[in-house]
Amino acid sequence: MENLEFLKLIGSRRSCRAYLNKPVDKKDLQAILEAGMAAPSAMGAQDAFIVAVTKPELTAKLRRMNAQVMGTDTDPYYGAPVIVLVFASRTNKNGVQDGSCILENMMLAAHALGLGSCWINRENEMFDTEEGRELMRGMGLPEGLAGVGAIALGYAAKEPSPRKPRKEGYSRIIE
Ligand SMILES: Cc1cc2nc3c(=O)[nH]c(=O)nc-3n(C[C@H](O)[C@H](O)[C@H](O)COP(=O)(O)O)c2cc1C
């Protein structure tokens, strides 16, 4: 791939907040998880865990738990058929940074494959409850993890609006 194409891909990713009721191709999902695992991690520790959930009973539970934290009865994952959760050790000072690299890699990979995605918050609060801890055990995860974030993932139901212009002075080069 030309470098320019990759930069265009980064510049055209948008958050998707409406999804088709259509399962994500398993190969594409695996490629997105691979992109997540390709992310750098502090000291190369690979401390994080990535869990892609497609099971409707479980996605329904996650939607309910997240909405509860938010204090609404709407679906915080916008009906996405896949919810990809990222966890890191509670005691890892770089857990959020590591997890953020993973989440962004996965959003860019999704975009490259023609899928929509959106970073969704509140997993920290969701999994810091007895119900959350029980859920993590059910996912086969070790004890002591915190939710870093998640992405809603699926085929976009509508075109995203154009990207907002970047603010004045956002970046600079000092020579
Ligand atoms: C740390 C973080 C948390 C976010 N949490 C949410 C969220 O809970 N729900 C949501 O709809 N979008 C969420 N977003 C997406 C942002 O709202 C979105 O990236 C921003 O509005 C810019 O739009 P764009 O991604 O289309 O460029 C989050 C993004 C980041 C980086």
Side-chain angles (χ1 to χ4, degrees), residues 141-163:
L141 297 171
E143 297 292 317
L145 297 182
V148 175
I151 62 167
L153 179 69
Y155 298 97
K158 58 180 186 201
E159 281 291 304
S161 50
R163 192 174 81 158

Side-chain angles (χ1 to χ4, degrees), residues 24-39 50 52 82-84 86 101-117 151-155:
V24 169
D25 182 276
K26 194 78 180 280
K27 272 208 292 233
D28 285 350
L29 180 55
Q30 197 56 51
I32 290 164
L33 297 179
E34 292 287 339
M37 292 189 287
I50 310 168
V82 187
I83 298 173
V84 189
V86 174
C101 289
I102 292 170
L103 287 156
E104 173 69 349
N105 263 20
M106 292 195 296
M107 290 191 291
L108 291 175
H111 183 42
L113 293 167
L115 285 152
S117 73
I151 62 167
L153 179 69
Y155 298 97

Side-chain angles (χ1 to χ4, degrees), residues 13-17 66 70 76 78 107 118-122 163-164 166:
R13 181 214 52 80
R14 296 301 319 279
S15 292
C16 173
R17 296 192 175 89
N66 195 320
M70 210 167 36
Y78 305 107
M107 290 191 291
C118 185
W119 180 315
I120 307 297
N121 252 347
R122 291 169 294 280
R163 192 174 81 158
K164 272 195 205 158
R166 302 293 101 168

Side-chain angles (χ1 to χ4, degrees), residues 12-162:
S12 59
R13 181 214 52 80
R14 296 301 319 279
S15 292
C16 173
R17 296 192 175 89
Y19 295 89
L20 298 178
N21 183 16
K22 178 181 164 189
V24 169
D25 182 276
K26 194 78 180 280
K27 272 208 292 233
D28 285 350
L29 180 55
Q30 197 56 51
I32 290 164
L33 297 179
E34 292 287 339
M37 292 189 287
S41 62
M43 315 259 300
Q46 299 181 34
D47 170 71
F49 287 87
I50 310 168
V51 182
V53 182
T54 61
K55 196 179 178 176
E57 301 92 283
L58 196 46
T59 55
K61 197 171 203 173
L62 294 169
R63 294 179 214 282
R64 197 248 309 141
M65 286 167 72
N66 195 320
Q68 207 167 311
V69 177
M70 210 167 36
T72 63
D73 56 4
T74 56
D75 172 10
Y77 299 99
Y78 305 107
V82 187
I83 298 173
V84 189
L85 302 159
V86 174
F87 300 92
S89 302
R90 281 206 173 273
T91 53
N92 182 353
K93 281 194 286 198
N94 291 302
V96 171
Q97 291 88 329
D98 286 359
S100 300
C101 289
I102 292 170
L103 287 156
E104 173 69 349
N105 263 20
M106 292 195 296
M107 290 191 291
L108 291 175
H111 183 42
L113 293 167
L115 285 152
S117 73
C118 185
W119 180 315
I120 307 297
N121 252 347
R122 291 169 294 280
E123 286 68 22
N124 189 290
E125 297 92 320
M126 285 163 66
F127 289 95
D128 193 16
T129 60
E130 213 23 72
E131 184 179 26
R133 281 183 281 277
E134 194 52 46
L135 210 54
M136 286 194 280
R137 280 179 212 118
M139 292 170 177
L141 297 171
E143 297 292 317
L145 297 182
V148 175
I151 62 167
L153 179 69
Y155 298 97
K158 58 180 186 201
E159 281 291 304
S161 50

